[in-house]
Amino acid sequence: VLDKCVWSGSACMAMTGGSSDLTAQGAQWLQGAKEAVMQMTKGEKKDEDESYSPFQSLQKAAVLQECRCFNDREINPRKCISILTKILWLLAQGEKLTALETTEIFFGVTKLLMHKDQQLRRLLYLVLKELKPSPEEVIIVCATLTKDMNSKVDLNRANALRVLGAIIARTDPTMLAQIERHLKQALVDKNCFVAASALVSGIHLMHVNPEVVRRWVNEVQTALASDNPSVQYHALALLHQIKRQDRLAVSKVVASLTRTPLKSPLAHCLLIRFAKAMMEDGGSERDRALFDFLEASLRHRSDMVIYEAATAICSLTSVAQRELSPSITVLQLFLCSPKPACRFSAVRTLNKIAMAHPMAVTPCNMDMEGLINDSNRSIATLAITTLLKTGSESGVERLMKQITSFMSEIADDFKIVVVDAIRAMCLKFPQKHRLLMTFLANVLREEGGFQYKKAIVDTLLSIIARVPEAKEAGLSHLCEFIEDCEFTLLSTQILYLLGVEGPSTQEPSKYIRFIYNRVVLENATVRASAVSALAKFGISIAYLRPSITVLLQRCLYDNDDEVRDRAIFFVTLLTGIDSGATLAGKSAQSLLLEPLPVPLAALEASCREYLAAPTERPLSIDDVTIDAEMLAKMQKEATSKAAAASEDAGPAADAPAPAMAAPAEEADLLSRMPEFVHVGARFTSSKRVPLSEVGTEYEVVCTKHLYASHLILAFQLNNTLEDQLLSSVTVALDLAAVPGLALETHVPCASLPFGQPGTAYACLRRLEGVPVGTIPCTLKFVVKDVDPATGPTDDEPGYEDEYQLEELEVCAADFMKRVAVLDFRAAWESVGNGCEVVETFSLSYNSIRQAMEAVIDFLGMSPCENSAAAPDDVTKLTVLLSGVFLGGMQVFAIVNLRADSNRAVGMRLTVRSSDMTVSQFVASSVA
């Protein structure tokens, strides 16, 4: 229209013979009008898109000023409703009211209760519940709302019950006795809304005044028989709250209700949850009647009840695959439901089941393939990940073709879930690593955020670590990725991997170009990582060393200090390799290519001490020590990190092994402590042995670390008493029963507060032979009484005390290292039967598997050739064991087991070694 106006205006001016200036002015004016109209149109569209809130610029002071109209003689209901709405909005936004402001609003609101307007009254109930009146004002509330509880209007009665119950539960629970009569009457009221409100109030009051609520059990049971679904649901919830402390009473209620079907689907779902909880509490002896109830609920007419029963069965601990079959059949039907909620819930549950029982979910694969193109992306993602967990090797290619088009349509959060599932599939079918890694490499080049790209890189790293054949292809894909990588963290991670794995590939020189490109093109952090990666190639591969040295010399004039320092260090190191130069007592290969034998914190502390007091003797890494406090701190940090990583990863991911959790790695650091530097290299470590029960005053767990002539006992301590602080904690050992051991030194735990684990050590010297026996243990400490609210005080002297622990057994297995051999028969024959010992025993065990596990623990040896893998119902079994005895002597054993009766297992033990004394000692350890 505007274009036509512009054209017609210009035409008129031309026909009237006006001057050219007037024509130009008219055209300019029309063009300006056109732009103005366009701007107005854009402004209107912008205003339509923006959300408008009537309370956006609302001020608390203005609302409080308006509240004065509550005291007017003539009440305007519409105006009061608007003001009450503003008050509720301010409270919902987190606005805080002072005590005086709350009181003013409260008394104004109580005056409005005299008005008969129903909409106004409903808002008054909400405001009273949100205002949080003071204890003095609660009395007025009770007096005011008690009238409403006796009202003939059911809506007012129900709201008054709920508001009054919430206020009493929050302010003064002792006032419950004043309204108990009204609540008990309301529980059995004919009006379902009134009864349900009373039940909800009872649920809230149960947490603050349970003694009064427990007296309502008869009325609650009467309400449970109601025909109204809401009343029945809330009655069952309150009845369970009343009786939850009595497990027998809860079991009777659940058993009676499972025989009489409930009319409320919500109540039925709640009953299913209670039944499942009882089955879990029952331990290994599962109640068959409750399980039959869950299976019968799968045939309920309500989808909600069916899904709840299926989920309960699938989430049972140690559920068998045959028991899952009815639930999976029902969930399979849900996959074809027209309701998105049913499809989502079914595929989500099947996804969880696939983690533990992938074969049970396989029959649903055809239905889940149809969900890949579902309009709901959450359903499609869950279907994809479930198929990746349950799919067969032959269907991998077809599945990956479907995922390729799917990945471009979902957000990064869903893509990360798919990538994690692909990692699990690649580890399950390593033969398909080329196809899966090619897919990952393609999606790695596409657009995506940091978390998405990091998930793909971590998946590729995991595949490279687990599948040896995938290393070459994986490194090539990662090299291509860092050429255009915009994330510094990922570039440094990949460069580190190239430095570690690249030198061991068939053609290591091809990675040099990719690494050096980072030196030229990237930021300082990536350049420093690239310099370190290049140096590892030069250290590992002699024929590349001159070329690497030349490349590193080009980095000597870099703008960044870190890059220059690394280049100078590595150039000096590489030029000195051929001459046999060492650094801190270590060669270049062992210093850079092997992990440090000590933590970085200990190395830094030793360097600081050396700089503070230098000596003529150069600092060596062998001189670095670690104290007990630093070791305990590192153990605590590693444990917390491992726990956090396992929670984030979930049950389907590969749980990373905590660096400090294993007894072997802990012992390697123990030998760096100043008190234990003389013990030498560790031979083996035992399992953790509890010396007190879990939940007692002081929990103590011992780990035995064996060295050439010493035995170090590490005691993990935990103080469970909140009002005590322990100090100078040691474990006293009575070595009279074990004459071959002598106490050399104690390292006490300096302080053991509540809830903070600590460690104490004892070093025993082995005098002669192989000492075995039991050692009585006593925990000794200085205890200080602590106020949990204020914490410990320095002026408290404390007093000495002790706590008796269980005896610690030193057995033959502590002197045996678990070392398996690949070819047991050849090793057995090579030892010969010159030092062979044969013994027969009758063991008191219920099954051969139990006897086998116990014998392996007694001997401390490792099963070979998968001989320990046997079904539970086997009647005969031969187990091949191998180990290394203290001193480096190889020991072999053949264990023949036979089930003689239900409680007896016969065993024939044959032991071979190169020393008859050792063979006899090992054979006698079972007795």
Side-chain angles (χ1 to χ4, degrees), residues 123-183:
L123 272 176
L124 291 174
Y125 289 133
L126 288 176
V127 173
L128 286 174
K129 189 170 66 172
E130 296 295 332
L131 274 181
K132 300 179 183 178
S134 63
E136 295 80 8
E137 296 166 349
V138 171
I139 301 175
I140 302 175
V141 174
C142 289
T144 305
L145 295 181
T146 302
K147 297 179 182 179
D148 285 354
M149 286 192 291
N150 296 322
S151 173
K152 295 181 180 180
V153 181
D154 293 332
L155 181 65
N156 294 348
R157 291 169 57 204
N159 286 326
L161 287 169
R162 298 188 69 167
V163 172
L164 194 54
I167 293 175
I168 290 177
R170 195 167 51 208
T171 56
D172 190 4
T174 58
M175 297 189 65
L176 177 59
Q178 300 180 15
I179 63 168
E180 181 185 4
R181 177 176 60 86
H182 299 283
L183 286 170

Side-chain angles (χ1 to χ4, degrees), residues 521-532:
L521 303 174
E522 293 288 353
N523 56 48
T525 304
V526 179
R527 294 202 304 271
S529 300
V531 167
S532 299

Side-chain angles (χ1 to χ4, degrees), residues 109-263:
V109 167
T110 54
K111 292 180 182 179
L112 295 179
L113 287 171
M114 300 173 61
H115 204 278
K116 303 298 183 182
D117 189 87
Q118 289 298 320
Q119 186 177 358
L120 176 62
R121 182 171 289 270
R122 291 165 65 185
L123 272 176
L124 291 174
Y125 289 133
L126 288 176
V127 173
L128 286 174
K129 189 170 66 172
E130 296 295 332
L131 274 181
K132 300 179 183 178
S134 63
E136 295 80 8
E137 296 166 349
V138 171
I139 301 175
I140 302 175
V141 174
C142 289
T144 305
L145 295 181
T146 302
K147 297 179 182 179
D148 285 354
M149 286 192 291
N150 296 322
S151 173
K152 295 181 180 180
V153 181
D154 293 332
L155 181 65
N156 294 348
R157 291 169 57 204
N159 286 326
L161 287 169
R162 298 188 69 167
V163 172
L164 194 54
I167 293 175
I168 290 177
R170 195 167 51 208
T171 56
D172 190 4
T174 58
M175 297 189 65
L176 177 59
Q178 300 180 15
I179 63 168
E180 181 185 4
R181 177 176 60 86
H182 299 283
L183 286 170
K184 292 179 70 174
Q185 291 176 355
L187 290 173
V188 293
D189 196 275
K190 293 181 180 179
N191 186 278
C192 59
F193 185 39
V194 174
S197 300
L199 290 167
V200 170
S201 300
I203 293 173
H204 292 301
L205 293 168
M206 184 67 193
H207 301 290
V208 295
N209 201 338
E211 293 80 9
V212 176
V213 180
R214 286 195 180 100
R215 299 200 294 259
W216 307 348
V217 62
N218 293 331
E219 288 79 5
V220 175
Q221 288 178 339
T222 303
L224 187 59
S226 172
D227 294 335
N228 185 268
S230 178
V231 174
Q232 196 174 52
Y233 168 71
H234 290 104
L236 179 58
L238 180 56
L239 186 63
H240 182 264
Q241 289 280 335
I242 293 173
K243 297 189 175 184
R244 64 178 179 177
Q245 302 296 337
D246 188 353
R247 188 175 182 277
L248 181 60
V250 173
S251 63
K252 289 181 178 179
V253 171
V254 173
S256 62
L257 292 177
T258 54
R259 293 189 293 267
T260 57
L262 296 171
K263 296 182 179 180

Side-chain angles (χ1 to χ4, degrees), residues 380-425:
T381 304
L382 287 170
I384 283 287
T385 54
T386 308
L387 287 170
L388 290 172
K389 295 172 185 176
T390 60
S392 61
E393 187 172 2
S394 58
V396 172
E397 295 183 8
R398 176 171 52 86
L399 192 58
M400 297 311 296
K401 289 180 181 178
Q402 292 177 303
I403 297 177
T404 302
S405 59
F406 168 79
M407 291 290 283
S408 60
E409 303 173 2
I410 59 177
D412 282 0
D413 293 339
F414 294 137
K415 291 179 182 179
I416 292 173
V417 177
V418 175
V419 169
D420 291 338
I422 291 175
R423 175 177 58 180
M425 170 170 272

